[in-house]
Amino acid sequence: MQIGLIRVRTLEAVGAVDRHGPLIEGAFPGLRVDCYCIKDQPSGIHDDESEALATPKVIELGRKLESKVDAIIVSCSADPGVEELNKELHIPAIGAGRSAAGIARSLGEAIGVITITDDVPATVKVGLGDHFLAWRKVKGVETALDLESDASYANTIDAARELVAQGSDAILLACTGFSTIAIASKIAKASGIPVVDPVLAAGSIAYTLMLNGKG
Amino acid sequence: MQIGLIRVRTLEAVGAVDRHGPLIEGAFPGLRVDCYCIKDQPSGIHDDESEALATPKVIELGRKLESKVDAIIVSCSADPGVEELNKELHIPAIGAGRSAAGIARSLGEAIGVITITDDVPATVKVGLGDHFLAWRKVKGVETALDLESDASYANTIDAARELVAQGSDAILLACTGFSTIAIASKIAKASGIPVVDPVLAAGSIAYTLMLNGKG
């Protein structure tokens, strides 16, 4: 099954755009992932304004991909454009935020959410419903770029520990930048509870489609 | 990762108990599944009474499995004993109903549910929340055993078509007997919309745990 994965952060370096592809391909046999990114947003989505700017770009890119792929993954926990693409296109569009929420609901009653933004993405909050317990923004981080430092790595682990202390029985990482730095399994080890990685969650939903013979 | 899978239907024939194991092992590399079944319930769970009878048996079996496996799957869409096992045991217990609902939420806005019972299992109804649209009981079926006939197979496809006509954009199979007869991909082909198989959904949730380095 061929997936088109849309990054909401503009990346120029060779290999950087493609980074979420191997995460999914390595975990889900039979899924092939080509990655694309929207233009002119090097800081990605990190607040309402940057989300509003990105959404039409995601939709435009999704339209271009429709004839080339079996499904689209929008690799952002805010799911920009996902609802619109599902209404318009003849192939499914999968949002990382909604996917992570759906899977987390099955793993815990009281989910702790880690973000890079000043609130929990609506997709995640609504998706978790009464399974939502609490959230933490990673200290010192304003965009996904800031996650790629040793300090942020340590601060993310700290945020998870605080959420566990508050009673979380599972953790949802509400930014696909956490997938880029592959921190989910480290947090699971440090915290002792299940952790949901948003890119792998979207892969898992795509895999469900594939197991049913879609593409 | 070693899974202990609990069937809620008592099966005697060689190979019959194990039937859900290969479904999961074939789809999710690295998951190993041993299957067990509760005693004295050859008709499985098909109403409130049979569910009440099965629940303490599932809990007892789950306790016995705790030291042998990394996670437990309760292979029934009503998730009998899952909440209790998660409170009591040190390993996760995964319910097929809740798993299917979590995954279906990510695939559609208006989910159609197919059952063998006179109502939708509470786990599925609550899990779907406002993503639930409508449901159909398969004609002529009272227990999971009845699914294993050509007539039931055709009636299940008919139920799916009716749910599509009613506006469903994805279908959830709310009995693991549908997994036993491997009908999900047939329904997906006949209906043209995504279908969620409850045993594979539970496997998908277990796989999320494994990708995080649990077991």
Side-chain angles (χ1 to χ4, degrees):
Chain A
M1 183 181 194
Q2 181 64 52
I3 307 286
L5 183 146
I6 299 177
R7 302 283 303 264
V8 299
R9 178 177 155 198
T10 310
L11 292 152
E12 306 288 350
V14 176
V17 177
D18 296 332
R19 210 163 288 166
H20 292 175
L23 296 178
I24 293 175
E25 290 176 345
F28 302 100
L31 293 186
R32 297 178 306 278
V33 183
D34 285 334
C35 298
Y36 305 84
C37 66
I38 62 170
K39 285 182 185 161
D40 304 323
Q41 286 200 228
S43 304
I45 290 179
H46 48 90
D47 56 19
D48 289 347
E49 196 186 347
S50 52
E51 185 180 339
L53 202 62
T55 301
K57 299 180 192 176
V58 171
I59 296 170
E60 193 193 336
L61 196 43
R63 283 179 189 142
K64 284 185 188 158
L65 291 175
E66 186 176 19
S67 63
K68 295 184 208 168
V69 302
D70 302 303
I72 289 168
I73 287 176
V74 177
S75 193
C76 172
S77 296
D79 297 356
V82 169
E83 212 177 317
E84 295 89 334
L85 288 173
N86 271 316
K87 278 188 190 142
E88 185 180 322
L89 305 189
H90 293 94
I91 56 169
I94 297 165
R98 190 162 149 177
S99 301
I103 286 177
R105 287 172 72 95
S106 306
L107 285 169
E109 299 296 337
I111 314 290
V113 176
I114 306 184
T115 74
I116 63 159
T117 46
D118 288 329
D119 48 22
V120 176
T123 49
V124 170
K125 192 97 186 255
V126 171
L128 288 177
D130 58 9
H131 291 251
F132 172 79
L133 176 74
W135 68 288
R136 287 284 182 291
K137 178 182 175 180
V138 178
K139 209 176 132 186
V141 166
E142 293 306 326
T143 77
L145 283 76
D146 301 327
L147 284 176
E148 294 166 27
S149 74
D150 290 347
S152 296
Y153 205 91
N155 289 340
T156 305
I157 304 280
D158 284 346
R161 289 210 172 100
E162 287 170 26
L163 288 167
V164 173
Q166 210 174 329
S168 302
D169 57 2
I171 284 175
L172 185 158
L173 301 177
C175 172
T176 58
F178 293 116
S179 308
T180 311
I181 62 169
I183 200 171
S185 59
K186 303 291 189 318
I187 297 177
K189 197 175 259 184
S191 67
I193 61 175
V195 179
V196 179
D197 174 294
V199 168
L200 290 178
S204 189
I205 299 300
Y207 196 54
T208 296
L209 292 173
M210 196 198 77
L211 292 174
N212 279 339
K214 290 240 168 200
Chain B
M1 182 182 195
Q2 181 65 51
I3 307 286
L5 183 146
I6 299 178
R7 302 283 302 266
V8 299
R9 178 178 155 197
T10 311
L11 292 153
E12 306 289 350
V14 176
V17 177
D18 296 333
R19 211 162 286 166
H20 293 176
L23 296 178
I24 293 175
E25 290 177 345
F28 302 100
L31 293 185
R32 297 177 307 277
V33 183
D34 285 335
C35 298
Y36 305 83
C37 66
I38 61 170
K39 285 182 185 163
D40 305 323
Q41 286 201 228
S43 305
I45 291 179
H46 48 87
D47 56 19
D48 290 346
E49 195 186 349
S50 52
E51 185 179 338
L53 202 62
T55 300
K57 299 179 192 177
V58 171
I59 296 170
E60 194 193 335
L61 196 44
R63 283 180 188 141
K64 283 185 188 158
L65 290 175
E66 186 176 19
S67 62
K68 295 183 206 165
V69 301
D70 302 303
I72 289 168
I73 287 176
V74 178
S75 193
C76 172
S77 297
D79 297 357
V82 169
E83 212 177 315
E84 294 90 334
L85 288 173
N86 271 316
K87 277 186 190 141
E88 183 180 323
L89 305 188
H90 293 95
I91 57 170
I94 297 165
R98 190 162 149 177
S99 301
I103 286 177
R105 288 172 72 94
S106 306
L107 285 169
E109 299 295 338
I111 314 290
V113 176
I114 306 183
T115 73
I116 62 159
T117 46
D118 288 328
D119 48 20
V120 175
T123 47
V124 170
K125 193 97 184 255
V126 171
L128 289 177
D130 58 8
H131 291 251
F132 173 78
L133 175 75
W135 68 289
R136 285 286 182 290
K137 179 183 175 180
V138 179
K139 208 176 134 188
V141 167
E142 293 305 326
T143 76
L145 283 76
D146 301 328
L147 284 176
E148 295 166 26
S149 74
D150 290 346
S152 295
Y153 204 92
N155 289 340
T156 305
I157 305 280
D158 284 346
R161 288 210 172 101
E162 289 170 25
L163 288 166
V164 173
Q166 210 175 329
S168 302
D169 58 1
I171 284 175
L172 185 157
L173 301 176
C175 171
T176 57
F178 293 116
S179 308
T180 311
I181 62 169
I183 200 169
S185 59
K186 302 291 188 319
I187 298 177
K189 198 176 259 185
S191 68
I193 61 175
V195 179
V196 179
D197 174 295
V199 168
L200 289 177
S204 189
I205 299 301
Y207 197 54
T208 296
L209 293 173
M210 197 198 77
L211 293 174
N212 280 340
K214 290 239 168 200

